[in-house]
Amino acid sequence: MTVYHLKTPISEEEIRKLKVNDVLYITGTIVTARDQAHRRALEYFKEGKRLPVNLEGLAVFHCGPVVKKEDEKWVAVAAGPTTSTRMDIFEDEFIKNFKVRVVIGKGGMGKRTTDAMAKYGAVYGAFTGGAAILAAKAIKNVKGVEWLDLGTPEALWIFEVEDFGPLAVAIDSHGNNLFTDVAKSVEENRKRIYQKLGLQP
Amino acid sequence: MENAKIVENAAFNLIKQAVIYLPKDVKQALEKAYMEETSEAGKTQLKAILDNIELAEKYQSPICQDTGTIIFYARAGANFKNLDKVEEALTNATRRATKEVPLRPNAVDPFTQKNSGDNTGRFIPYINWEIATGDTLELTVMTKGGGSENVCVTGTLVPGEGINGLKKFVIEAVIKAGAQPCPPTILGIAMGGGVDIAMKLAKKALLRPLNEPNPNPEIAKLEKELFEAANMTGIGPMGLGGRTTVLGVHVEYAFRHPASFPAAVAFNCWAARRAAARIHTDGTVEYLTHKEKV
Ligand code: SF4
């Protein structure tokens, strides 16, 4: 296990050094996007429109933050990750078109995303589910927000972060997926459990 | 102060305590899990959880952005005054807590999909009533997260399979839930009654402190067996692999109909938030879970 501290924008070469089980902390810019924002971003790309933020080398964060406005300025109060599987249907295109280098969320993602990460050079960083204060404290500044018409949780929040993490590298850019590995060993373990408890499958 | 206002204030304090400070037994179990976890990825997750708990206490902020659905358990002494005012007091406390703590508004009308904005609505906060002798009101609040609620299951097992059927049901539920309920989780398990009774008992079992096995040694043995089996799955903290998938397993039961074997598994995430107090008729409030935080 190696601990990496990377600054955005992250290059393909840098991200390819990471392997599953490594730990990553990010300093720089991360942008939130959930289902709706993913969909709209891909529509923009198809129509040849530019996104309001250039995502190249940045991290996209599956998160609907709790934010409040203090003296006309947005502050992130709680910003834990949401379940990533809902974004699986968009993420391969998203990585390909916008060259994001890190996808942050919880629960892991599937084969399509894993393949795209290997092909274009990106990793999935699992952020601890529920650890909302830990995330919020690493957000030093809300640099901006776009697409607020989608609602606060679904908008693109542009966060300036310092040592945002720990992110467990659960999918690397070499085709490894920790969640798939765990699922496989759970299948094996199920047999052992049934045996131990004397159960018939 | 008038009785209803005392109940409201106590309930407000309980909600606030619950969402900011995890009970001691849960914290200790997480610390122990951190010490014993051998998977590196799992250990990192447990460390992040412990750091997050500490930050929440320091900044008096809710532990998780999902402050859950507010559920009360009220054990009412038959001679406690103004019992008919308690429901309103609990609703008021919920509204106040939503604004002042603050909590995320989590009460949505399933027909219109509209969020009430204050964590109240039809049957919410939900109150589980129990009547006891005496003149005190024992109030417990559970703020129940959505991620762990989504994997709760009930089933009707084959009576002929007996307890083995239940064991299978539990293991399959844990495997199917995977990373979704933010493991390490706590399992509340119940059998018997009807399906509704089983789930009610399973959920209530989540309130029992982690270091208290069921007083019935036979059931305590089953709890231990299922605890070990669930941790053998290797799902681990946040589903990243490891030996800590559950922090505790609590089993309850009711008698069953000869032809049916209802069972329920309730999950609570690591953010297992609960707080309790005893309110006396003279207006004094005794905080039971968060004594030092009042
Ligand atoms: S399951 Fe629990 S810890 Fe995870 S996000 Fe929901 S409330 Fe928070």
Coordinates of all heavy atoms in Angstrom, one line a residue, chain A residues 5-18 24-31 53-60 98-102 121-122 143 158-161:
Chain A
H5 N -0.2 11.7 -2.5 CA -0.8 13.0 -2.4 C -0.7 13.7 -3.7 O 0.4 14.0 -4.1 CB -0.1 13.9 -1.3 CG -0.2 13.3 0.1 ND1 -1.2 13.8 1.0 CD2 0.4 12.3 0.7 CE1 -1.1 13.1 2.1 NE2 -0.2 12.2 2.0
L6 N -1.8 13.8 -4.4 CA -1.7 14.4 -5.8 C -2.4 15.7 -5.9 O -3.4 16.0 -5.2 CB -2.3 13.4 -6.8 CG -1.6 12.0 -7.0 CD1 -2.4 11.2 -8.1 CD2 -0.2 12.1 -7.3
K7 N -1.9 16.6 -6.8 CA -2.5 17.9 -7.0 C -3.1 17.9 -8.4 O -2.6 17.3 -9.3 CB -1.4 18.9 -7.0 CG -0.9 19.3 -5.6 CD -0.2 20.7 -5.6 CE 0.1 21.2 -4.2 NZ 1.1 20.5 -3.5
T8 N -4.3 18.5 -8.4 CA -4.9 18.6 -9.7 C -4.3 19.8 -10.5 O -3.9 20.8 -9.8 CB -6.5 18.8 -9.6 OG1 -6.7 20.0 -8.9 CG2 -7.1 17.7 -8.8
P9 N -4.3 19.8 -11.8 CA -4.7 18.7 -12.7 C -3.7 17.5 -12.6 O -2.5 17.8 -12.6 CB -4.7 19.4 -14.1 CG -3.8 20.5 -14.0 CD -3.9 21.0 -12.6
I10 N -4.3 16.3 -12.6 CA -3.5 15.1 -12.5 C -3.3 14.6 -14.0 O -4.2 14.5 -14.8 CB -4.2 14.1 -11.7 CG1 -4.5 14.6 -10.3 CG2 -3.4 12.8 -11.6 CD1 -5.4 13.8 -9.4
S11 N -2.0 14.2 -14.2 CA -1.7 13.7 -15.6 C -2.0 12.2 -15.7 O -2.1 11.5 -14.6 CB -0.3 13.9 -15.9 OG 0.6 13.1 -15.1
E12 N -2.1 11.7 -16.9 CA -2.4 10.3 -17.1 C -1.2 9.5 -16.5 O -1.4 8.4 -15.9 CB -2.5 10.0 -18.6 CG -2.8 8.5 -18.8 CD -3.1 8.1 -20.3 OE1 -3.4 9.0 -21.1 OE2 -3.1 6.9 -20.5
E13 N 0.0 10.0 -16.7 CA 1.2 9.3 -16.2 C 1.2 9.1 -14.7 O 1.4 8.0 -14.2 CB 2.4 10.1 -16.7 CG 3.7 9.4 -16.6 CD 4.9 10.3 -16.7 OE1 4.7 11.4 -17.3 OE2 6.0 10.0 -16.2
E14 N 0.8 10.2 -14.0 CA 0.7 10.1 -12.6 C -0.3 9.1 -12.1 O -0.1 8.3 -11.2 CB 0.3 11.5 -12.0 CG 1.4 12.5 -11.8 CD 0.9 13.8 -11.3 OE1 0.1 14.5 -12.1 OE2 1.2 14.2 -10.2
I15 N -1.5 9.1 -12.7 CA -2.6 8.3 -12.2 C -2.3 6.8 -12.5 O -2.8 5.9 -11.8 CB -4.0 8.7 -12.8 CG1 -5.1 8.5 -11.8 CG2 -4.3 8.0 -14.1 CD1 -5.0 9.4 -10.6
R16 N -1.5 6.6 -13.6 CA -1.2 5.1 -13.9 C -0.3 4.5 -12.9 O -0.2 3.3 -12.9 CB -0.6 5.1 -15.3 CG -1.7 5.4 -16.4 CD -1.7 4.4 -17.5 NE -2.7 4.7 -18.5 CZ -3.8 4.0 -18.8 NH1 -4.1 2.9 -18.0 NH2 -4.6 4.4 -19.7
K17 N 0.3 5.3 -12.0 CA 1.2 4.7 -11.0 C 0.4 4.0 -9.9 O 0.9 3.2 -9.2 CB 2.0 5.8 -10.4 CG 3.1 6.4 -11.3 CD 4.0 7.4 -10.5 CE 4.8 8.2 -11.4 NZ 5.1 9.5 -11.0
L18 N -0.9 4.5 -9.7 CA -1.7 4.0 -8.6 C -2.2 2.6 -8.9 O -2.5 2.2 -10.0 CB -2.9 4.9 -8.4 CG -2.6 6.1 -7.5 CD1 -1.5 7.0 -8.1 CD2 -3.9 6.9 -7.3
L24 N -5.2 7.5 -1.6 CA -5.0 8.8 -2.3 C -5.6 10.0 -1.6 O -6.7 9.9 -1.0 CB -5.6 8.7 -3.7 CG -5.7 9.9 -4.6 CD1 -4.3 10.5 -4.9 CD2 -6.5 9.6 -5.9
Y25 N -4.8 11.1 -1.5 CA -5.3 12.3 -1.0 C -5.2 13.4 -2.1 O -4.2 13.4 -2.8 CB -4.5 12.8 0.2 CG -4.7 12.0 1.4 CD1 -3.9 10.9 1.7 CD2 -5.7 12.4 2.4 CE1 -4.1 10.1 2.8 CE2 -5.8 11.6 3.6 CZ -5.0 10.5 3.8 OH -5.2 9.8 4.9
I26 N -6.2 14.1 -2.4 CA -6.2 15.1 -3.5 C -6.2 16.5 -3.0 O -7.0 16.9 -2.1 CB -7.5 14.9 -4.4 CG1 -7.4 13.5 -5.0 CG2 -7.5 16.0 -5.5 CD1 -8.6 13.2 -5.9
T27 N -5.4 17.3 -3.6 CA -5.4 18.8 -3.3 C -5.6 19.4 -4.6 O -5.0 19.0 -5.6 CB -4.0 19.2 -2.7 OG1 -3.9 18.6 -1.4 CG2 -4.0 20.7 -2.5
G28 N -6.5 20.4 -4.6 CA -6.8 21.1 -5.9 C -8.3 21.2 -6.1 O -9.0 21.7 -5.1
T29 N -8.8 20.8 -7.2 CA -10.2 21.0 -7.5 C -10.9 19.7 -7.7 O -10.5 18.8 -8.5 CB -10.4 21.8 -8.8 OG1 -9.6 23.0 -8.7 CG2 -11.8 22.2 -9.1
I30 N -12.1 19.5 -7.0 CA -13.0 18.4 -7.3 C -14.4 18.9 -7.6 O -14.7 20.0 -7.1 CB -13.0 17.3 -6.2 CG1 -13.6 17.9 -4.9 CG2 -11.6 16.8 -5.9 CD1 -13.7 16.8 -3.8
V31 N -15.1 18.2 -8.5 CA -16.4 18.7 -8.9 C -17.4 17.6 -8.7 O -17.2 16.5 -9.0 CB -16.4 19.1 -10.4 CG1 -17.7 19.6 -10.9 CG2 -15.3 20.1 -10.7
V53 N -17.3 24.0 -16.6 CA -15.9 23.8 -16.0 C -15.1 22.8 -16.8 O -15.7 21.8 -17.3 CB -15.9 23.2 -14.6 CG1 -15.7 24.3 -13.5 CG2 -17.1 22.3 -14.3
N54 N -13.9 23.0 -17.0 CA -13.0 22.1 -17.7 C -12.6 21.0 -16.7 O -11.9 21.3 -15.8 CB -11.8 22.8 -18.3 CG -10.9 21.8 -19.0 OD1 -11.2 20.7 -19.2 ND2 -9.7 22.4 -19.5
L55 N -13.0 19.8 -17.0 CA -12.8 18.7 -16.0 C -11.5 18.0 -16.2 O -11.1 17.1 -15.4 CB -13.9 17.7 -16.0 CG -15.3 18.2 -15.6 CD1 -16.4 17.2 -15.9 CD2 -15.3 18.6 -14.2
E56 N -10.7 18.3 -17.2 CA -9.5 17.6 -17.5 C -8.5 17.5 -16.4 O -8.1 18.6 -15.8 CB -8.8 18.2 -18.8 CG -7.8 17.3 -19.3 CD -7.2 17.7 -20.6 OE1 -7.9 18.4 -21.4 OE2 -6.1 17.2 -21.0
G57 N -8.2 16.3 -16.0 CA -7.2 16.1 -14.9 C -7.8 16.3 -13.5 O -7.1 16.2 -12.5
L58 N -9.1 16.6 -13.4 CA -9.7 16.8 -12.1 C -10.4 15.5 -11.6 O -10.3 14.4 -12.2 CB -10.8 17.9 -12.2 CG -10.4 19.2 -12.7 CD1 -11.5 20.2 -12.6 CD2 -9.1 19.7 -12.1
A59 N -11.0 15.6 -10.4 CA -11.8 14.5 -9.8 C -13.2 14.8 -9.8 O -13.6 15.9 -9.6 CB -11.3 14.2 -8.4
V60 N -14.0 13.8 -10.2 CA -15.5 14.0 -10.1 C -16.0 13.2 -8.9 O -15.5 12.1 -8.6 CB -16.2 13.5 -11.4 CG1 -16.0 12.1 -11.7 CG2 -17.7 13.8 -11.3
F98 N -14.3 13.7 -21.0 CA -13.9 14.9 -20.2 C -12.5 14.7 -19.5 O -12.0 15.6 -18.9 CB -14.9 15.2 -19.2 CG -16.3 15.4 -19.8 CD1 -17.4 14.6 -19.4 CD2 -16.5 16.4 -20.8 CE1 -18.6 14.8 -20.0 CE2 -17.7 16.6 -21.4 CZ -18.8 15.8 -21.0
K99 N -11.9 13.5 -19.7 CA -10.6 13.2 -19.2 C -10.4 13.5 -17.7 O -9.4 14.0 -17.2 CB -9.5 14.0 -20.0 CG -9.5 13.7 -21.5 CD -8.3 14.3 -22.1 CE -8.2 14.0 -23.6 NZ -9.5 14.4 -24.4
V100 N -11.5 13.1 -16.9 CA -11.3 13.2 -15.5 C -10.4 12.0 -15.1 O -10.3 11.0 -15.7 CB -12.6 13.0 -14.7 CG1 -13.5 14.2 -15.0 CG2 -13.3 11.7 -15.0
R101 N -9.6 12.2 -14.1 CA -8.6 11.2 -13.7 C -9.0 10.4 -12.4 O -8.5 9.4 -12.2 CB -7.2 11.9 -13.4 CG -6.6 12.5 -14.6 CD -6.0 11.4 -15.5 NE -5.6 12.0 -16.8 CZ -5.9 11.5 -18.0 NH1 -6.6 10.4 -18.1 NH2 -5.5 12.1 -19.1
V102 N -9.9 11.0 -11.6 CA -10.4 10.3 -10.4 C -11.9 10.4 -10.3 O -12.5 11.5 -10.6 CB -9.7 10.9 -9.2 CG1 -10.1 10.1 -7.9 CG2 -8.2 11.0 -9.3
G121 N -7.1 5.9 -18.5 CA -6.3 6.4 -17.4 C -7.0 7.1 -16.4 O -7.0 8.4 -16.3
A122 N -7.7 6.4 -15.5 CA -8.4 7.0 -14.3 C -8.5 6.0 -13.2 O -8.3 4.8 -13.5 CB -9.8 7.5 -14.8
K143 N -15.6 27.0 -4.8 CA -15.2 27.9 -5.9 C -16.4 28.4 -6.8 O -16.3 29.5 -7.4 CB -14.2 27.2 -6.7 CG -12.8 27.4 -6.1 CD -11.6 26.8 -6.8 CE -11.3 26.7 -8.1 NZ -10.1 25.8 -8.4
I158 N -18.2 23.1 -7.4 CA -16.7 23.1 -7.6 C -16.0 23.4 -6.3 O -16.2 24.5 -5.8 CB -16.4 24.1 -8.7 CG1 -17.3 23.8 -10.0 CG2 -14.9 24.1 -9.1 CD1 -17.5 25.0 -10.8
F159 N -15.4 22.4 -5.8 CA -14.7 22.6 -4.5 C -13.2 22.7 -4.6 O -12.6 21.9 -5.4 CB -15.0 21.3 -3.6 CG -16.5 21.1 -3.2 CD1 -17.0 19.9 -3.1 CD2 -17.3 22.2 -2.9 CE1 -18.3 19.7 -2.7 CE2 -18.6 22.0 -2.5 CZ -19.1 20.7 -2.4
E160 N -12.7 23.6 -3.8 CA -11.2 23.7 -3.7 C -10.9 22.9 -2.4 O -11.4 23.2 -1.3 CB -10.8 25.1 -3.5 CG -9.3 25.3 -3.6 CD -9.0 26.8 -3.3 OE1 -9.7 27.7 -3.8 OE2 -8.1 27.0 -2.5
V161 N -10.1 21.8 -2.6 CA -9.9 20.9 -1.5 C -8.4 20.8 -1.1 O -7.5 21.1 -2.0 CB -10.4 19.5 -1.8 CG1 -11.9 19.5 -1.9 CG2 -9.7 18.9 -3.0

